[in-house]
Amino acid sequence: MSRAGSAVRAGPGGGSGSALFSGFRALGLYSNHLPHVLRYHQRHREFYLITAAGRSFHTYNVKKLGIVAVSNALLQDITCLAADRMLVFASYGNLLHAFARNKEVVHIYDGHKGEIHLLQPFGDHVISVDIDNVLIVWDVQSEEEYLQLTFDKAVFAVSAIMHPSTYLNKILLGSEQGSLQLWNVKSNKLLYSFPGWGLGGVTTLEQAPAVDVVAIGLVSGHIIVHNIKFDETLMKFQQDWGPITAISFRTDGHPVMAAGSPIGHIALWDLEEKKLISQMRNAHSTAIAGMSFVQGEPLLVTNGADNAIKIWIFDGPGGGGRLLRCRMGHSAPPTKIRYHGQNGQQILSAGQDGTLQSFSTVHERFNKSLGRGSINKKKSKRKGLQYDTMALPPITAFATEIARQNDWDGIIACHQGYITCTTWNYQKTSMGAHKLKPKAYSKNKPLDVYATVVDITTCGNFAVIGLSTGHVDVYNMQSGIHRGHYGKEKAHEGAIRGVAVDGLNQLTITAGSEGLIKFWKFKTMDLVYSANLSSSPSAMLLHRDSGILGIASDDFGISVLDIETRRIVRKFSGHHSQINDMAFSPDGRWLITASMDCTIKTWDLPSGCLIDCFLLDSAAISISMSPTGDFLASSHVDDLGIYLWSNRSLYSLVSLRSLPADYEPSVIMLPGTCSAQDVDITGDEETSDEMIDYNSPEQLEEHLVTLSSLSESRWKNLLNLDVIKKKNKPRKPPKVPKSAPFFIPTVPGLIPRYAAAKHENDGQQSKVVNLGVLAQKSDFYVQLEDALSSNEYKSPLSILKEMGPSSIETELRGLAPDAGGSIEVMKSFLRLIGTMLNTKCDFELAQAYLALFLKLHLKILSSEPVLLEEIAKVSTQLEETWIHLQTLFNQSLCVLNYMKSALL
């Protein structure tokens, strides 16, 4: 049996993007090395924070540090950022862009030959300075140059720029030589030169709350508070942490100045007593890129290249600040990512910075940081981040299970070059209670012996750990007790490259670098089966629901093994470099692989074909498919973000046709932080793999019984129409309300009385006209009459298919002689049914129409020999077709019952 409706890919194409995955958004990107910008929105009466993140910038509200807007992406990474009351200015290369509403580009300023590295909004103008020491003053609205100044690099290389408060049309420039210049940009005149202090170049300039006073940060670590009106130095401070990276003043009544350093420390200076009052060490793990006190509030906003934005509040004794709010991701690229749980809303990520973090795909407020691994937490807290010798190396592999995470630790992780594995607790967002290490190495610290792979059982009770020596050990997650090991001495001769436990804790599968894959009984730890692989395995992944095992080899090939039959069922080749990670789709139909050749490929396991491939600028280090199948997550080389790719097959028509052997994918850009719209990636119609609608014929084959595409309501209730009409018939006919006369009649007399209403005579003749025999023949009736001579029944059948159940019943009633029809027309209708049964089209309609016809005209059919002869022919056709269908149904039911009951 068949039914219409399908779609295919037009043809094999080359050079297009991914047909299966579309870039959606990036997670975990908050800040880079550029200073942030703080703005005040007068209408909202709220402060907003702007930070650059790659090719776009983010806007956060300071009140909750929630993201408000993400700008449209530029063609390259932003290299300089500034903002005024209305616009945000961002530059890359020699181009300057102005954004309106924190979103779209409204102005582009093109005139620099070198890369822009300084920006200063200046009323209706904006000032930009490039690395060739050319300063241009732009008119914001007209995008024209108002003024251009060129400085000699050897004498005055511009390194900082600011506009002193109340100094009309004037800007102050700092240089790498240490000198300052005050310019009037309207008259294009140098007003004054400050010779400098002989302590190195100027790194930053900041306006103090007092008029005429400017703080100057120098490369030597000195901070000069200078009065530019009288050219007088008011005070001088020095920090031993290197160049001054940022300066800010409190404006809430406390004479305090904060200064940032390249190593992440912040110094707080008292301007009245001219002394250091507090230090905020390790505020960031990298240099302080930007620092701003919120106007009139005891809040300090900082950002750094460690991908963190932090807000500090000064509400305690001692003058120091405490962390109030923060948004932070990995400060070093992630090494491993995996979805946590079954709802697909949390992604666990381990980074080279040693931290384990959880990123929410729904909202940033659900993000968690599980912290950094430590040998001894208490000692680490005492020593601090900078001198922490107890910190564990970065996590290289981890496994997670939510079954018992409310009762004990549910995450097991192994560290780079480290033999001890650590447990983590997702609920408590911290490192767990146990450190799992084999007893043989408990006293001495072995060299070149470390944990390579880990897995956790579905029940969450046991952890399986593979070592570089070939040992595989089992531990209890609740108590941390060692529960045994596989093999007499060790499981493999080479290093363990993969370990997995099936969904029912029956089998443990291990893969060794010597090229062997072994199956063990989980409880008794006995060897069940061993097989040689054609090449040494590099990674292994088990899809527990289907029992399919994916094995990546050192020869860049992929083998798929069925753990039930223990046979290799598929082999794939096509990668040209090391395979970094693999992921299965939730239903186990797709295997997705990421390689160092910068490609991500999707293999269809049932057909054994490559169905999707796309190329990226940087290789994917780790990938993970959502348990719900809606997103593919990836992390990349030298990239701090986690990128989501939406599965287009869930919301659009996608072909799963195999790609040709010579398919060459084109490069796809990584998605930005904002949710991307699904862009049509197809190119030319001749060479693309675009999807076209395919309408199947009315009947695929002549011998196939084909159903119509009509809904069941059009034919299923034809036999029960009389019952339905009785149920829907009202109990009493509706009564028409009697209309009152405009003037109520009265009876003549001395006493006024109203006249009684006159009742109409019920015996009057009905106003309904009986047309009698004047009824007109319908189109269906006329077409049936014509079909007797032409033997073409498509027209009457198409008319019948467009009618509703009531209309069909009316037409069939009208075929009888006593209703204005004839025996010949009834004979024509039976031939129509015979034609439908012969062609085997609209099978269910033929059954329904014939059943209604027999119900209405059974007496006439039995008394007319001509009709009886036609009925006999139709009955024979119907019996042959139905016997054939019944045989097929019985065979299918027999096979189904056997599969359900037989012990295979």
Side-chain angles (χ1 to χ4, degrees):
M1 301 176 72
S2 63
R3 197 179 284 272
S6 181
V8 295
R9 183 176 281 176
S16 66
S18 172
L20 198 55
F21 295 106
S22 174
F24 182 66
R25 60 174 296 209
L27 302 176
L29 292 177
Y30 299 103
S31 172
N32 59 11
H33 63 284
L34 299 181
H36 65 263
V37 179
L38 200 62
R39 304 171 72 194
Y40 181 71
H41 198 290
Q42 291 183 346
R43 188 159 56 88
H44 294 172
R45 294 184 179 180
E46 192 172 0
F47 285 95
Y48 290 97
L49 170 71
I50 300 172
T51 61
R55 295 182 292 123
S56 59
F57 61 84
H58 302 174
T59 304
Y60 300 88
N61 54 15
V62 176
K63 184 185 296 182
K64 294 184 179 179
L65 211 55
I67 192 162
V68 174
V70 177
S71 72
N72 295 333
L74 297 178
L75 297 179
Q76 298 177 24
D77 287 348
I78 296 173
T79 56
C80 203
L81 191 67
D84 63 6
R85 188 174 59 88
M86 297 297 294
L87 301 173
V88 178
F89 300 95
S91 70
Y92 70 86
N94 60 348
L95 290 177
L96 174 61
H97 299 75
F99 289 79
R101 294 174 292 278
N102 297 316
K103 189 73 176 176
E104 65 266 8
V105 177
V106 290
H107 299 294
I108 299 177
Y109 309 93
D110 187 5
H112 284 283
K113 294 182 180 179
E115 181 179 329
I116 299 172
H117 74 109
L118 291 175
L119 288 176
Q120 176 63 50
F122 192 65
D124 294 333
H125 301 80
V126 60
I127 303 171
S128 58
V129 183
D130 61 23
I131 58 176
D132 295 332
N133 236 23
V134 176
L135 182 148
I136 299 179
V137 181
W138 304 91
D139 186 282
V140 171
Q141 296 300 324
S142 65
E143 302 178 9
E144 296 178 354
E145 287 187 17
Y146 177 79
L147 176 67
Q148 180 169 330
L149 298 174
T150 304
F151 299 89
D152 186 1
K153 275 190 176 182
V155 179
F156 193 87
V158 180
S159 60
I161 183 172
M162 69 159 288
H163 166 58
S165 295
T166 71
Y167 280 56
L168 190 64
N169 300 326
K170 296 173 184 66
I171 58 170
L172 182 65
L173 303 176
S175 69
E176 294 178 1
Q177 289 76 17
S179 58
L180 305 178
Q181 291 184 3
L182 185 66
W183 282 80
N184 187 318
V185 294
K186 187 174 183 179
S187 61
N188 190 15
K189 288 184 179 179
L190 174 63
L191 302 180
Y192 193 79
S193 292
F194 301 87
W197 296 266
L199 299 173
V202 177
T203 57
T204 181
L205 296 172
E206 183 67 24
Q207 174 69 53
V211 180
D212 304 324
V213 179
V214 174
I216 304 148
L218 304 178
V219 174
S220 60
H222 287 80
I223 304 168
I224 310 296
V225 181
H226 196 77
N227 188 312
I228 58 174
K229 184 176 182 179
F230 301 108
D231 191 9
E232 178 185 354
T233 298
L234 303 180
M235 56 192 78
K236 186 187 295 185
F237 305 103
Q238 183 179 3
Q239 295 180 180
D240 297 331
W241 300 325
I244 305 300
T245 58
I247 298 174
S248 185
F249 291 88
R250 285 184 70 171
T251 56
D252 60 336
H254 295 266
V256 174
M257 177 184 68
S261 66
I263 58 176
H265 301 336
I266 298 175
L268 299 170
W269 302 90
D270 191 320
L271 299 177
E272 284 186 350
E273 300 183 6
K274 301 180 182 180
K275 68 175 185 179
L276 180 70
I277 56 173
S278 181
Q279 297 180 33
M280 297 166 59
R281 289 183 172 268
N282 304 306
H284 288 267
S285 58
T286 59
I288 306 293
M291 189 164 52
S292 304
F293 275 103
V294 179
Q295 182 72 25
E297 296 184 30
L299 298 177
L300 176 65
V301 182
T302 62
N303 78 298
D306 58 351
N307 196 21
I309 306 169
K310 298 183 179 181
I311 298 181
W312 311 82
I313 185 168
F314 295 83
D315 57 354
R322 64 176 178 88
L323 186 62
L324 180 64
R325 284 181 287 271
C326 75
R327 289 279 184 267
M328 58 186 298
H330 285 292
S331 59
T335 57
K336 199 78 170 179
I337 59 172
R338 287 292 180 266
Y339 270 92
H340 178 73
Q342 296 301 316
N343 57 8
Q345 295 180 359
Q346 296 290 338
I347 299 175
L348 279 176
S349 171
Q352 293 178 11
D353 54 1
T355 61
L356 183 64
Q357 299 194 32
S358 173
F359 295 97
S360 171
T361 60
V362 179
H363 198 276
E364 291 173 343
R365 66 173 177 267
F366 301 120
N367 290 359
K368 295 180 180 181
S369 176
L370 279 71
R372 184 173 182 174
S374 176
I375 302 173
N376 191 313
K377 284 191 202 176
K378 293 182 180 179
K379 288 185 179 180
S380 295
K381 286 183 178 179
R382 285 200 299 266
K383 290 187 177 182
L385 286 174
Q386 194 71 19
Y387 308 101
D388 189 5
T389 57
M390 295 289 169
L392 287 171
I395 294 172
T396 56
F398 65 88
T400 172
E401 187 57 55
I402 63 170
R404 302 302 294 269
Q405 70 174 5
N406 294 325
D407 303 320
W408 53 75
D409 302 339
I411 303 170
I412 177 74
C414 61
H415 300 260
Q416 181 179 351
Y418 204 70
I419 191 171
T420 303
C421 292
T422 54
T423 61
W424 299 75
N425 196 304
Y426 185 82
Q427 298 294 98
K428 297 178 181 178
T429 63
S430 66
M431 190 173 163
H434 307 299
K435 294 178 178 62
L436 309 180
K437 184 178 180 181
K439 291 182 179 179
Y441 304 105
S442 58
K443 294 182 181 180
N444 54 348
K445 292 183 179 180
L447 297 175
D448 300 329
V449 178
Y450 53 91
T452 54
V453 288
V454 293
D455 195 20
I456 187 170
T457 57
T458 311
C459 60
N461 290 312
F462 299 99
V464 184
I465 301 171
L467 303 180
S468 59
T469 56
H471 293 83
V472 179
D473 298 282
V474 181
Y475 296 86
N476 186 281
M477 286 294 292
Q478 182 181 10
S479 61
I481 298 174
H482 184 266
R483 292 301 186 189
H485 60 87
Y486 293 94
K488 292 182 179 179
E489 292 184 1
K490 52 185 180 179
H492 289 266
E493 293 300 323
I496 304 298
R497 296 287 179 83
V499 62
V501 182
D502 70 348
L504 299 176
N505 290 6
Q506 298 297 314
L507 286 176
T508 301
I509 305 109
T510 59
S513 60
E514 77 278 6
L516 282 176
I517 182 166
K518 295 184 178 181
F519 292 77
W520 312 79
K521 285 188 178 180
F522 178 78
K523 292 182 180 179
T524 61
M525 300 184 183
D526 296 330
L527 180 63
V528 177
Y529 180 76
S530 178
N532 277 307
L533 298 173
S534 58
S535 178
S536 177
S538 60
M540 190 175 76
L541 181 67
L542 175 66
H543 186 260
R544 285 174 172 166
D545 292 343
S546 63
I548 297 296
L549 187 71
I551 305 168
S553 304
D554 286 340
D555 61 356
F556 316 142
I558 303 149
S559 302
V560 179
L561 186 141
D562 185 357
I563 65 172
E564 293 293 331
T565 60
R566 295 164 195 164
R567 292 181 181 178
I568 293 177
V569 293
R570 293 288 185 273
K571 282 190 176 182
F572 302 116
S573 60
H575 284 295
H576 305 294
S577 188
Q578 173 191 339
I579 297 172
N580 292 329
D581 204 0
M582 299 181 290
F584 281 101
S585 62
D587 57 2
R589 292 182 61 91
W590 299 341
L591 176 62
I592 306 162
T593 56
S595 170
M596 285 302 292
D597 59 10
C598 297
T599 60
I600 295 179
K601 297 189 176 185
T602 305
W603 312 86
D604 186 60
L605 298 183
S607 63
C609 298
L610 174 67
I611 58 173
D612 190 66
C613 175
F614 61 99
L615 188 66
L616 298 164
D617 285 329
S618 60
I621 290 294
S622 183
I623 57 174
S624 181
M625 190 74 178
S626 167
T628 56
D630 50 358
F631 291 112
L632 173 71
S634 65
S635 63
H636 299 263
V637 174
D638 295 333
D639 202 308
L640 302 180
I642 296 173
Y643 297 90
L644 295 181
W645 307 84
S646 60
N647 183 359
R648 299 180 67 187
S649 67
L650 296 183
Y651 57 86
S652 64
L653 213 56
V654 174
S655 169
L656 299 182
R657 191 173 171 183
S658 62
L659 298 178
D662 58 348
Y663 182 80
E664 294 183 3
S666 60
V667 178
I668 293 181
M669 299 295 291
L670 291 173
T673 313
C674 61
S675 300
Q677 299 294 327
D678 192 19
V679 182
D680 185 15
I681 49 84
T682 56
D684 261 350
E685 291 185 0
E686 296 179 359
T687 60
S688 70
D689 283 353
E690 65 175 9
M691 301 296 299
I692 59 173
D693 289 333
Y694 168 71
N695 296 321
S696 62
E698 292 184 1
Q699 192 173 19
L700 298 179
E701 295 289 342
E702 292 183 359
H703 66 278
L704 294 177
V705 172
T706 305
L707 304 180
S708 70
S709 57
L710 295 181
S711 61
E712 291 185 350
S713 60
R714 304 282 291 276
W715 55 268
K716 197 172 184 179
N717 297 319
L718 285 176
L719 287 177
N720 303 319
L721 277 179
D722 50 351
V723 179
I724 295 173
K725 287 180 179 179
K726 284 182 181 179
K727 287 184 177 179
N728 295 338
K729 186 178 180 181
R731 295 181 180 179
K732 295 180 180 179
K735 292 182 179 180
V736 180
K738 295 179 181 179
S739 57
F742 186 78
F743 295 104
I744 301 176
T746 56
V747 177
L750 296 176
I751 302 172
R753 287 183 298 173
Y754 295 111
K758 295 182 179 179
H759 296 280
E760 294 181 358
N761 188 8
D762 295 335
Q764 288 183 349
Q765 187 178 1
S766 173
K767 295 181 181 180
V768 178
V769 180
N770 187 6
L771 296 178
V773 294
L774 299 179
Q776 190 177 2
K777 293 181 180 179
S778 67
D779 292 340
F780 175 69
Y781 189 94
V782 174
Q783 293 291 341
L784 277 181
E785 283 184 330
D786 296 342
L788 278 173
S789 56
S790 63
N791 205 25
E792 286 290 334
Y793 289 97
K794 288 186 178 179
S795 297
L797 179 60
S798 60
I799 294 174
L800 209 58
K801 288 169 72 173
E802 292 176 358
M803 293 181 180
S806 298
S807 302
I808 293 172
E809 187 193 28
T810 304
E811 290 289 351
L812 294 190
R813 283 186 185 276
L815 299 180
D818 55 356
S822 66
I823 300 297
E824 293 299 319
V825 176
M826 295 180 69
K827 180 180 176 181
S828 179
F829 180 79
L830 289 174
R831 287 183 179 178
L832 167 66
I833 300 298
T835 304
M836 295 173 70
L837 293 176
N838 277 335
T839 59
K840 299 182 180 179
C841 291
D842 303 321
F843 188 73
E844 82 279 23
L845 296 185
Q847 304 285 333
Y849 295 161
L850 181 59
L852 180 59
F853 183 78
L854 294 175
K855 179 182 177 181
L856 296 176
H857 308 300
L858 189 60
K859 292 183 179 179
I860 301 175
L861 290 172
S862 60
S863 60
E864 293 292 336
V866 180
L867 297 180
L868 284 175
E869 185 180 350
E870 287 295 332
I871 281 289
K873 294 179 183 179
V874 171
S875 177
T876 305
Q877 296 172 352
L878 189 61
E879 190 175 0
E880 289 177 357
T881 308
W882 183 247
I883 287 175
H884 178 62
L885 279 178
Q886 189 69 41
T887 305
L888 294 177
F889 289 153
N890 289 336
Q891 288 178 357
S892 301
L893 290 172
C894 181
V895 173
L896 185 61
N897 287 330
Y898 174 74
M899 292 177 66
K900 289 167 66 176
S901 61
L903 296 175
L904 297 178

